[in-house]
Amino acid sequence: MPLSSLRLVPFGTATPDRRAYWLLLLLFLLSLATALCTQGTYDSGDSIHHYLFARYAFQHPGNFLESWSKPLVVELMAGPAQLGLRGVMVLQCVLVAVASGLAYDAARHLRLPWPWLVVVFCYASPDYFLMQFSGLTEPTFSVVLVAAVALALRGRAAWGAAVLSFLPFARSEGFLLLGVYGVYLLLTRNWKAVPWLGLGFVVYGVAGLFVYQDFLWVFTRNAYPVQNPDYLFTKGHITHFVLGLADTIGWVQFGLFWLGGGGMVWAWLQPNRRLRPPLFTAELLLVYGCVVVFLAAHTVFWMFNLFGSLGLVRVLCSLVPLLSLIVLRGVWVCSLLGASGRAQAYIRVGLLVAVIGFLFCGSRVAFRWERDFGRASDQLLLDAAGRWAARQHAGSQVVFWHPYVAVAAPLDPFGPRRSPPEALQAQDWPLPAGSLVVWDEWYAVVEGNTPLATLRNNPQLRLRWYAAMPRNRRKVLNDSVKIAVFEKI
């Protein structure tokens, strides 16, 4: 079929399909079952740290308005977190289901063919699926973002602006996407909706008057300075995040993503080939515009060491509901290779099988049971160290860097039992005898600048517990997790 016959906004129907919602329910139940069985937490760092902020928010109300932990995320998680990390996982499953449903709604209003496929694409994105079993912020961000897009496509741009105004309080990239949405409102002459983009800032600014006596606390207490001296060693390549999309959505969807994007570029260059121009404008700006700005921003941050970027491609999970719409475009472009409706159906089914099958192909970016659903080595060691400490030093002061220590101990990381690592350098040594120092080979060294030799050579500390374990227990390499517990004497 010649390229000139392409219709980048094809015929379709906006009628909801009950089968799509049954499919969504089935995948949601699968996620819930996995949340109850999995031992994985996506990672042992930020995933646990965000959970801890929510878990102890009622004891320490300042957590509700803390820049790093993200106020909107803490507010959503605080209740479920009282049930433990499993409670947060259930919430994340709900958020991913809502985001997938909203992506389906957006696909219908864009008149995309086979809109139910976006539900599958969301759940078949490896990183996005696994992020349901964490305390991370990306699922919240993705819900708010796709909700605003879906509302705009329904003709409720002001409601969408009001919802999107809270996006920066889920992740800081939201400030950039407010600009994208603002451009859309201006180009569509939706003047009255523009002020609603400031609603979230006003709400949290007023809250800041009570907590910090500062309406502008979002900026004055920003957890991400332009240049973070602790991460000066981190810089990356221009292709890092673009190629990182494959880690997020898998290689099959990655290819379809580029096909969908290429088709949209062709339509942009061929205005006479567009159908329903208002929908084309909305899709171009709100879907493709948000994705491009998000990717470009993180690429710049990573290349020039801005805002403490560590090059974590997991942040791209924030875009998965929008990426699924682009992937669906790619499926449609591929289907044009079929000369008949039956041939196009075969192509569609083949691509669907490939997307789902990729998850179980053994690729580095596909699912691997022990890595993704098993207990991480550092958590196993810290659990063992926590049991030892509970028997030998119950109630002691604890110095630690690794967030999971607070779960393994267990203890309130914002409470009086935790002493800051700075106490180790204090000349008067404020730590009482019997205090514990829990050292690990990553957080203590990289973020705390405290190698093991520093503690071993300290005459006021004695080593009481030590263990090591391969990070990948199926492949014994030099990369091992090491945990040491010292006692102040």
Side-chain angles (χ1 to χ4, degrees), residues 3 6 8 254-270 280 284 288 326-327 329-330 332-333:
L3 187 62
L6 282 173
L8 265 293
F254 184 66
L256 293 171
F257 165 84
W258 286 107
L259 282 176
M264 199 65 176
V265 170
W266 180 88
W268 178 62
L269 296 174
Q270 303 281 338
F280 177 85
L284 183 66
Y288 293 81
I326 302 176
V327 171
R329 276 284 185 210
W332 180 73
V333 170

Side-chain angles (χ1 to χ4, degrees), residues 141-226:
F141 186 97
S142 70
V143 169
V144 177
L145 177 58
V146 73
V149 173
L151 285 167
L153 293 173
R154 282 177 168 266
R156 299 176 180 176
W159 281 99
V163 169
L164 197 74
S165 70
F166 291 90
L167 193 64
F169 303 96
R171 289 190 59 84
S172 297
E173 301 95 332
F175 284 112
L176 298 173
L177 301 192
L178 285 179
V180 177
Y181 201 92
V183 170
Y184 167 75
L185 294 178
L186 293 175
L187 289 179
T188 56
R189 300 185 178 183
N190 226 313
W191 321 116
K192 294 182 179 179
V194 173
W196 289 105
L197 290 174
L199 177 64
F201 179 78
V202 172
V203 169
Y204 280 106
V206 171
L209 290 175
F210 293 95
V211 178
Y212 301 121
Q213 294 74 53
D214 184 1
F215 183 79
L216 300 176
W217 70 272
V218 176
F219 303 111
T220 59
R221 294 177 177 268
N222 181 20
Y224 301 97
V226 175

Side-chain angles (χ1 to χ4, degrees), residues 37 45 47 50 58 84 91 105-106 116 142 146 202-203 212 249 290 300 302 316 343 378 391 400 452 463:
C37 298
S47 173
H50 282 290
F58 294 113
L91 171 67
D105 187 73
W116 59 272
S142 70
V146 73
V202 172
V203 169
Y212 301 121
I249 59 178
C290 285
V300 171
W302 179 228
L316 301 178
D378 55 350
R391 292 193 304 268
F400 63 89
L452 183 59
L463 181 64

Side-chain angles (χ1 to χ4, degrees), residues 62-360:
N63 287 9
F64 283 109
L65 223 64
E66 210 281 335
S67 175
W68 183 86
S69 61
K70 301 307 172 195
L72 184 60
V73 175
V74 174
E75 288 155 14
L76 289 174
M77 286 186 182
Q82 304 314 303
L83 301 176
L85 191 52
R86 298 282 177 193
V88 170
M89 290 180 182
V90 170
L91 171 67
Q92 301 280 51
C93 291
V94 172
L95 292 174
V96 167
V98 171
S100 302
L102 289 168
Y104 167 69
D105 187 73
R108 285 196 303 108
H109 284 85
L110 285 171
R111 304 300 197 270
L112 294 172
W114 322 299
W116 59 272
L117 282 174
V118 300
V119 175
V120 178
F121 295 154
C122 285
Y123 278 91
S125 298
D127 259 12
Y128 195 54
F129 184 84
L130 294 173
M131 200 165 281
Q132 294 176 104
F133 319 118
S134 76
L136 292 168
T137 60
E138 284 81 358
T140 301
F141 186 97
S142 70
V143 169
V144 177
L145 177 58
V146 73
V149 173
L151 285 167
L153 293 173
R154 282 177 168 266
R156 299 176 180 176
W159 281 99
V163 169
L164 197 74
S165 70
F166 291 90
L167 193 64
F169 303 96
R171 289 190 59 84
S172 297
E173 301 95 332
F175 284 112
L176 298 173
L177 301 192
L178 285 179
V180 177
Y181 201 92
V183 170
Y184 167 75
L185 294 178
L186 293 175
L187 289 179
T188 56
R189 300 185 178 183
N190 226 313
W191 321 116
K192 294 182 179 179
V194 173
W196 289 105
L197 290 174
L199 177 64
F201 179 78
V202 172
V203 169
Y204 280 106
V206 171
L209 290 175
F210 293 95
V211 178
Y212 301 121
Q213 294 74 53
D214 184 1
F215 183 79
L216 300 176
W217 70 272
V218 176
F219 303 111
T220 59
R221 294 177 177 268
N222 181 20
Y224 301 97
V226 175
Q227 288 286 344
N228 190 333
D230 294 331
Y231 298 111
L232 293 178
F233 62 91
T234 60
K235 286 185 180 180
H237 195 267
I238 190 172
T239 62
H240 178 74
F241 281 98
V242 173
L243 296 179
L245 282 169
D247 288 13
T248 303
I249 59 178
W251 282 101
V252 178
Q253 290 200 64
F254 184 66
L256 293 171
F257 165 84
W258 286 107
L259 282 176
M264 199 65 176
V265 170
W266 180 88
W268 178 62
L269 296 174
Q270 303 281 338
N272 60 315
R273 292 290 177 182
R274 303 175 196 163
L275 297 177
R276 303 183 181 92
L279 288 181
F280 177 85
T281 300
E283 184 177 359
L284 183 66
L285 288 175
L286 299 181
V287 177
Y288 293 81
C290 285
V291 170
V292 169
V293 168
F294 194 100
L295 281 170
H298 272 287
T299 297
V300 171
F301 298 160
W302 179 228
M303 289 178 62
F304 297 100
N305 187 30
L306 302 176
F307 303 108
S309 174
L310 290 173
L312 299 174
V313 296
R314 72 164 193 241
V315 301
L316 301 178
C317 288
S318 305
L319 300 174
V320 164
L322 299 188
L323 295 174
S324 70
L325 298 173
I326 302 176
V327 171
L328 183 57
R329 276 284 185 210
V331 171
W332 180 73
V333 170
C334 279
S335 73
L336 294 176
L337 296 173
S340 65
R342 176 173 292 184
Q344 291 182 2
Y346 286 147
I347 292 173
R348 184 170 73 249
V349 171
L351 291 173
L352 179 61
V353 170
V355 167
I356 297 174
F358 176 81
L359 298 174
F360 308 99

